[in-house]
Structure formats: structure tokens, C-alpha cells
Amino acid sequence: MQHVAIISKPQKPELVTLLPELIYFLKERGFEAHLDETSAAYVKEHGMLRESMAGCCPSLVIVLGGDGTLLSAARAFAKTDTPILSANLGSLGFLTEVPLSEIYKTFDAWQEGSCSVDQRSMMHAELWRDGKVYQAWDALNDVVISKGAIARMGDYSIQIGGQSVARFRADGMIVATPTGSTAYSLAANGPIVMGSVDAMVVTPICPHLLTLRPIVTPADTEICISVVGIADQTFLTVDGQEAVELKLSDEVHCRRSQYSVRLIRLGEHGLFNVLRSKLKWGER
């Protein structure tokens, strides 16, 4: 029997009905469902830690939630080649394009090999402290350096490809993948980059320098952001979900990861369809 991992968003009452139906649907097709702890709570069973689910070697990951739930699943399965089918239970849903009504149809299309698969590159980020790697991550969306509760700017220095770019004051910095270009970077006035483009985006957050603008770099270029001055507390956040407090002289190094994420699509919904439907492009 093959395995399917199911990862769900909390506090979604519709999953109380949907999950038993989905588990039965999978069983009828010869698949055993492995549930994360959130999914298991809906059906009153014992679940698995997301971080350990890759050890079951599932053929597919089904995500029931929004983009945040998908980002968590992507990091949990980053070192595998397991495809992810994500059904949108969130609000915007830039990544979770498959409507809940099409989840069974999309699964059948995946089994038949008739669905499309998007290959999304990830970013490898390292926090250097005292001359060595203190912590490292692989992110699908972005890494963000931002200040804490006190409204004071920090001082940062940035290098791209070993070349000094600038030293400046700002509320923070965002380094995003093309996938993450429609997340926090977009809200900070960054560009929208199509997922197939091999690039990364460096976006300042409210810089105290009117001429400083977002920069699009080749994905194989290393980006280094140095913390020159700290305003109260400053944090490095990965995909909006994992955070570590930064110290003076810390460095954040970002480059393209060796891993990627495979997202299953039923049809060619596409980025621009999402922009039209979610951000109301073209409406008056």
C-alpha cells in the first residue's frame, strides 16, 4: 500500500467532515493516509509531527489550508522530491490554487499522470555569528530581517555577489524567491516575479533613503546582509514562521537552495489568473 501525507490548517470546521471523506477516498484507491497532529485532531486520532512525516516516504503530500500551511509542508519535505497537492482553505491563496471542490479530481489526474506540476526553487539561508554558521534553513518564500516592537530603524550593509551595494537605515530587509515575490516583498513595493524565473529579489522595508529600490539578482548570486546597528530587538524570520533574534555583527547569507518544491496543478490556473481573481487586476 502506498502512503499519502495530509497536513491541515487548524481551526477549519469544514475539515471535520472533509477529512474522513478524504481518508476513505484514498483507502479506496489503495493509499494509506498519514496525518499530522493538526489533521489527526479533527478525526480524534494520534498524528505525527510534520518534521517526521518525510520519513514515511509518502508518494504525495496533500495540504488542506492556505499558503502558510503549504510553506510549512514545503520545508518539512524540502529534502525529498515528494509532490504537493494543496487545496485552498485560506484567503488569498497565491500558492494553494486548487479549489477545495477540485481536490478529488486533481488527485485522480495526478494518479493518471495528466496533471501539470510546477517546479519552484527554494532559497538557502544561513545565519553567521562569530565567524561561523549559527543556523541554516531552506525557505520557499522568503527570509525577512525586521525590527521588534520599538519603532526604531536598524542599520544594515548589503553585498551582492561579493560587491558592496550600500549601507543604510531601514525597518528591515526581505530576500525573496520568485514564489515569495507575491508575499511580504509585494506589500513592501517589490516586483512580481514569475515562478519560472531563476532569480531572487532583495526588497528594503521602509528605507530611510528614497533612492533605494528593490533589486532582482540571478538566483546563483550570494546575497549577504550585515547587521551594523540594532534597534531594540531585531529578528530573522523564515517563511513568516520560524524566527531567531539577531545580534550586532550577525550576517545573513542567502543563495539558491539545492532543493525545490513540486506543486501539483489540475490545469493552467497560473499566476495572472490569481492576480486577477485575488487582487482584482483589470477591475474598475
Side-chain angles (χ1 to χ4, degrees):
M1 181 174 285
Q2 297 185 71
H3 305 290
V4 170
I6 300 178
I7 294 176
S8 301
K9 181 176 182 175
Q11 299 178 350
K12 284 293 179 179
E14 58 266 43
L15 292 182
V16 174
T17 302
L18 175 64
L19 270 169
E21 293 176 354
L22 178 59
I23 293 169
Y24 179 78
F25 172 87
L26 294 172
K27 187 176 180 180
E28 287 288 293
R29 282 155 177 76
F31 288 86
E32 180 183 357
H34 293 270
L35 311 180
D36 74 333
E37 291 179 316
T38 302
S39 303
Y42 288 108
V43 293
K44 295 180 170 52
E45 294 183 6
H46 292 291
M48 303 176 63
L49 292 172
R50 290 181 184 177
E51 295 76 14
S52 64
M53 297 184 82
C56 297
C57 301
S59 303
L60 179 71
V61 181
I62 296 179
V63 173
L64 305 173
D67 286 354
T69 313
L70 174 57
L71 292 171
S72 175
R75 290 196 309 280
F77 286 87
K79 297 181 180 180
T80 74
D81 198 35
T82 312
I84 300 177
L85 191 169
S86 53
N88 184 24
L89 295 179
S91 50
L92 279 177
F94 277 103
L95 299 177
T96 49
E97 293 179 15
V98 177
L100 194 58
S101 59
E102 295 183 359
I103 185 172
Y104 299 117
K105 190 193 303 184
T106 307
F107 181 90
D108 286 338
W110 166 74
Q111 241 191 324
E112 296 164 2
S114 60
C115 62
S116 59
V117 179
D118 284 352
Q119 194 89 12
R120 299 294 184 97
S121 60
M122 301 185 76
M123 178 198 312
H124 183 73
E126 295 176 346
L127 172 59
W128 284 69
R129 179 172 293 171
D130 300 326
K132 59 185 178 181
V133 177
Y134 178 74
Q135 208 164 340
W137 306 264
D138 288 285
L140 178 57
N141 251 10
D142 53 32
V143 296
V144 178
I145 298 173
S146 60
K147 60 185 178 57
I150 303 298
R152 296 175 184 165
M153 292 181 289
D155 286 330
Y156 306 101
S157 175
I158 182 169
Q159 289 186 332
I160 297 178
Q163 299 183 55
S164 178
V165 177
R167 175 176 171 174
F168 55 92
R169 303 184 71 203
D171 283 354
M173 290 291 299
I174 305 167
V175 182
T177 65
T179 299
S181 70
T182 54
Y184 193 3
S185 177
L186 179 61
N189 244 1
I192 294 174
V193 181
M194 296 184 68
S196 58
V197 176
D198 194 24
M200 288 195 293
V201 181
V202 184
T203 307
I205 305 171
C206 299
H208 196 60
L209 190 64
L210 296 179
T211 54
L212 192 63
R213 291 292 182 264
I215 301 171
V216 180
T217 74
D220 59 358
T221 302
E222 179 159 306
I223 298 163
C224 175
I225 301 171
S226 302
V227 180
V228 181
I230 285 184
D232 188 49
Q233 292 178 312
T234 300
F235 293 90
L236 171 66
T237 309
V238 180
D239 277 345
Q241 296 174 338
E242 299 184 34
V244 60
E245 187 172 354
L246 295 178
K247 296 183 178 180
L248 193 64
S249 300
D250 279 355
E251 294 182 353
V252 180
H253 295 244
C254 302
R255 61 181 183 272
R256 180 176 52 201
S257 172
Q258 62 179 305
Y259 306 113
S260 59
V261 176
R262 299 169 64 207
L263 302 179
I264 291 175
R265 306 284 187 241
L266 180 59
E268 296 300 326
H269 292 286
L271 172 63
F272 298 111
N273 181 69
V274 175
L275 293 172
R276 287 192 301 271
S277 62
K278 303 296 184 179
L279 299 186
K280 312 302 180 186
W281 275 23
E283 293 189 10
R284 295 185 180 180

